[in-house]
Short mmCIF file of all heavy atoms in Angstrom, two decimals:
data_model
loop_
_atom_site.label_atom_id
_atom_site.label_comp_id
_atom_site.label_asym_id
_atom_site.label_seq_id
_atom_site.Cartn_x
_atom_site.Cartn_y
_atom_site.Cartn_z
N GLN A 69 15.65 -76.63 -131.80
CA GLN A 69 16.89 -76.13 -132.39
C GLN A 69 16.89 -76.47 -133.87
O GLN A 69 16.78 -77.64 -134.24
CB GLN A 69 18.09 -76.77 -131.71
CG GLN A 69 19.42 -76.21 -132.12
CD GLN A 69 19.68 -74.85 -131.48
OE1 GLN A 69 19.39 -74.66 -130.31
NE2 GLN A 69 20.20 -73.94 -132.24
N ARG A 70 16.99 -75.45 -134.73
CA ARG A 70 17.00 -75.65 -136.18
C ARG A 70 18.45 -75.74 -136.68
O ARG A 70 19.37 -75.30 -135.99
CB ARG A 70 16.27 -74.52 -136.87
CG ARG A 70 14.78 -74.51 -136.50
CD ARG A 70 13.96 -73.73 -137.47
NE ARG A 70 12.56 -73.72 -137.08
CZ ARG A 70 11.64 -74.55 -137.56
NH1 ARG A 70 11.97 -75.46 -138.45
NH2 ARG A 70 10.39 -74.46 -137.16
N PRO A 71 18.65 -76.29 -137.89
CA PRO A 71 20.01 -76.44 -138.42
C PRO A 71 20.78 -75.13 -138.56
O PRO A 71 22.00 -75.11 -138.48
CB PRO A 71 19.81 -77.09 -139.79
CG PRO A 71 18.46 -77.69 -139.75
CD PRO A 71 17.66 -76.88 -138.78
N ASP A 72 20.06 -74.03 -138.77
CA ASP A 72 20.74 -72.73 -138.91
C ASP A 72 21.11 -72.13 -137.56
O ASP A 72 21.50 -70.97 -137.47
CB ASP A 72 19.88 -71.76 -139.71
CG ASP A 72 18.57 -71.41 -139.02
OD1 ASP A 72 18.34 -71.85 -137.86
OD2 ASP A 72 17.76 -70.69 -139.63
N ALA A 73 20.97 -72.91 -136.49
CA ALA A 73 21.33 -72.54 -135.11
C ALA A 73 20.28 -71.67 -134.44
O ALA A 73 20.47 -71.29 -133.30
CB ALA A 73 22.71 -71.88 -135.04
N SER A 74 19.18 -71.36 -135.12
CA SER A 74 18.14 -70.60 -134.44
C SER A 74 17.36 -71.54 -133.51
O SER A 74 17.22 -72.72 -133.79
CB SER A 74 17.20 -69.93 -135.44
OG SER A 74 16.46 -70.90 -136.16
N ALA A 75 16.90 -70.98 -132.40
CA ALA A 75 16.14 -71.77 -131.43
C ALA A 75 14.79 -71.11 -131.20
O ALA A 75 14.68 -69.89 -131.19
CB ALA A 75 16.91 -71.88 -130.12
N GLU A 76 13.78 -71.93 -131.04
CA GLU A 76 12.43 -71.46 -130.75
C GLU A 76 11.98 -72.14 -129.47
O GLU A 76 12.29 -73.30 -129.23
CB GLU A 76 11.49 -71.81 -131.90
CG GLU A 76 11.89 -71.21 -133.23
CD GLU A 76 11.11 -71.79 -134.39
OE1 GLU A 76 9.86 -71.88 -134.30
OE2 GLU A 76 11.75 -72.18 -135.37
N ARG A 77 11.21 -71.41 -128.67
CA ARG A 77 10.68 -71.95 -127.41
C ARG A 77 9.17 -72.04 -127.50
O ARG A 77 8.51 -71.12 -127.98
CB ARG A 77 11.09 -71.06 -126.24
CG ARG A 77 12.57 -71.05 -126.00
CD ARG A 77 12.93 -70.15 -124.83
NE ARG A 77 14.35 -70.20 -124.60
CZ ARG A 77 14.96 -71.13 -123.86
NH1 ARG A 77 14.26 -72.06 -123.27
NH2 ARG A 77 16.26 -71.11 -123.71
N PHE A 78 8.64 -73.16 -127.03
CA PHE A 78 7.20 -73.39 -127.02
C PHE A 78 6.78 -73.82 -125.62
O PHE A 78 7.54 -74.49 -124.93
CB PHE A 78 6.84 -74.51 -128.00
CG PHE A 78 7.18 -74.21 -129.42
CD1 PHE A 78 8.42 -74.56 -129.95
CD2 PHE A 78 6.26 -73.59 -130.26
CE1 PHE A 78 8.74 -74.29 -131.27
CE2 PHE A 78 6.57 -73.33 -131.59
CZ PHE A 78 7.82 -73.67 -132.09
N ALA A 79 5.58 -73.45 -125.24
CA ALA A 79 5.04 -73.86 -123.95
C ALA A 79 3.67 -74.46 -124.16
O ALA A 79 2.98 -74.13 -125.12
CB ALA A 79 4.97 -72.66 -123.00
N GLY A 80 3.30 -75.36 -123.28
CA GLY A 80 1.98 -75.96 -123.33
C GLY A 80 2.04 -77.45 -123.55
O GLY A 80 3.09 -78.01 -123.85
N PRO A 81 0.91 -78.11 -123.40
CA PRO A 81 0.88 -79.57 -123.52
C PRO A 81 0.99 -80.09 -124.95
O PRO A 81 1.43 -81.20 -125.17
CB PRO A 81 -0.47 -79.95 -122.91
CG PRO A 81 -1.31 -78.73 -123.03
CD PRO A 81 -0.37 -77.56 -122.97
N ARG A 82 0.60 -79.24 -125.94
CA ARG A 82 0.65 -79.66 -127.33
C ARG A 82 1.34 -78.56 -128.14
O ARG A 82 0.96 -77.41 -128.06
CB ARG A 82 -0.76 -79.90 -127.85
CG ARG A 82 -0.78 -80.54 -129.22
CD ARG A 82 -2.17 -80.89 -129.64
NE ARG A 82 -2.62 -82.06 -128.89
CZ ARG A 82 -3.81 -82.60 -129.01
NH1 ARG A 82 -4.70 -82.08 -129.83
NH2 ARG A 82 -4.14 -83.66 -128.31
N ILE A 83 2.35 -78.95 -128.90
CA ILE A 83 3.17 -78.00 -129.65
C ILE A 83 2.95 -78.24 -131.14
O ILE A 83 2.92 -79.38 -131.60
CB ILE A 83 4.68 -78.23 -129.33
CG1 ILE A 83 4.94 -78.31 -127.83
CG2 ILE A 83 5.53 -77.20 -130.01
CD1 ILE A 83 4.61 -77.11 -127.04
N ARG A 84 2.85 -77.15 -131.90
CA ARG A 84 2.74 -77.25 -133.37
C ARG A 84 3.76 -76.30 -133.97
O ARG A 84 3.84 -75.14 -133.57
CB ARG A 84 1.34 -76.89 -133.82
CG ARG A 84 1.13 -77.07 -135.31
CD ARG A 84 -0.32 -76.76 -135.68
NE ARG A 84 -0.52 -76.82 -137.11
CZ ARG A 84 -0.96 -77.88 -137.76
NH1 ARG A 84 -1.27 -78.98 -137.11
NH2 ARG A 84 -1.11 -77.85 -139.07
N PHE A 85 4.54 -76.82 -134.95
CA PHE A 85 5.57 -75.98 -135.57
C PHE A 85 5.77 -76.41 -137.03
O PHE A 85 5.58 -77.56 -137.39
CB PHE A 85 6.89 -76.06 -134.80
CG PHE A 85 7.38 -77.46 -134.54
CD1 PHE A 85 8.20 -78.10 -135.45
CD2 PHE A 85 7.02 -78.13 -133.38
CE1 PHE A 85 8.66 -79.38 -135.22
CE2 PHE A 85 7.47 -79.42 -133.14
CZ PHE A 85 8.28 -80.05 -134.06
N PRO A 86 6.16 -75.46 -137.87
CA PRO A 86 6.42 -75.78 -139.28
C PRO A 86 7.79 -76.42 -139.45
O PRO A 86 8.70 -76.20 -138.63
CB PRO A 86 6.37 -74.41 -139.97
CG PRO A 86 6.79 -73.46 -138.92
CD PRO A 86 6.29 -74.03 -137.61
N THR A 87 7.94 -77.21 -140.50
CA THR A 87 9.24 -77.80 -140.84
C THR A 87 9.49 -77.61 -142.33
O THR A 87 8.57 -77.29 -143.08
CB THR A 87 9.30 -79.31 -140.51
OG1 THR A 87 8.45 -80.02 -141.40
CG2 THR A 87 8.90 -79.59 -139.07
N ARG A 88 10.73 -77.83 -142.74
CA ARG A 88 11.09 -77.81 -144.16
C ARG A 88 11.56 -79.21 -144.56
O ARG A 88 12.15 -79.92 -143.74
CB ARG A 88 12.21 -76.79 -144.39
CG ARG A 88 11.77 -75.35 -144.19
CD ARG A 88 12.87 -74.37 -144.54
NE ARG A 88 13.99 -74.45 -143.62
CZ ARG A 88 14.15 -73.66 -142.56
NH1 ARG A 88 13.28 -72.73 -142.28
NH2 ARG A 88 15.20 -73.80 -141.78
N ALA A 89 11.34 -79.58 -145.79
CA ALA A 89 11.75 -80.89 -146.28
C ALA A 89 13.26 -81.07 -146.08
O ALA A 89 14.04 -80.19 -146.41
CB ALA A 89 11.39 -81.05 -147.75
N GLY A 90 13.64 -82.20 -145.50
CA GLY A 90 15.05 -82.51 -145.26
C GLY A 90 15.62 -81.91 -143.99
O GLY A 90 16.77 -82.17 -143.65
N GLU A 91 14.83 -81.14 -143.27
CA GLU A 91 15.31 -80.48 -142.05
C GLU A 91 15.43 -81.46 -140.90
O GLU A 91 14.59 -82.31 -140.70
CB GLU A 91 14.32 -79.36 -141.70
CG GLU A 91 14.78 -78.43 -140.62
CD GLU A 91 13.83 -77.27 -140.45
OE1 GLU A 91 12.59 -77.47 -140.47
OE2 GLU A 91 14.33 -76.14 -140.32
N ARG A 92 16.52 -81.33 -140.13
CA ARG A 92 16.74 -82.13 -138.92
C ARG A 92 16.65 -81.20 -137.73
O ARG A 92 17.41 -80.24 -137.62
CB ARG A 92 18.11 -82.80 -138.96
CG ARG A 92 18.23 -83.86 -140.04
CD ARG A 92 19.65 -84.36 -140.16
NE ARG A 92 20.17 -84.77 -138.89
CZ ARG A 92 20.58 -86.00 -138.60
NH1 ARG A 92 20.56 -86.92 -139.52
NH2 ARG A 92 21.03 -86.30 -137.40
N LEU A 93 15.71 -81.49 -136.84
CA LEU A 93 15.45 -80.63 -135.69
C LEU A 93 15.80 -81.35 -134.40
O LEU A 93 15.52 -82.55 -134.25
CB LEU A 93 13.96 -80.25 -135.66
CG LEU A 93 13.42 -79.62 -136.94
CD1 LEU A 93 11.91 -79.57 -136.90
CD2 LEU A 93 14.00 -78.24 -137.12
#
Side-chain angles (χ1 to χ4, degrees):
Q69 187 76 42
R70 296 199 181 264
D72 64 5
S74 66
E76 300 168 48
R77 294 180 178 275
F78 298 90
R82 189 174 286 179
I83 311 298
R84 184 177 176 96
F85 52 89
T87 69
R88 292 185 293 265
E91 190 173 43
R92 293 173 52 119
L93 305 168

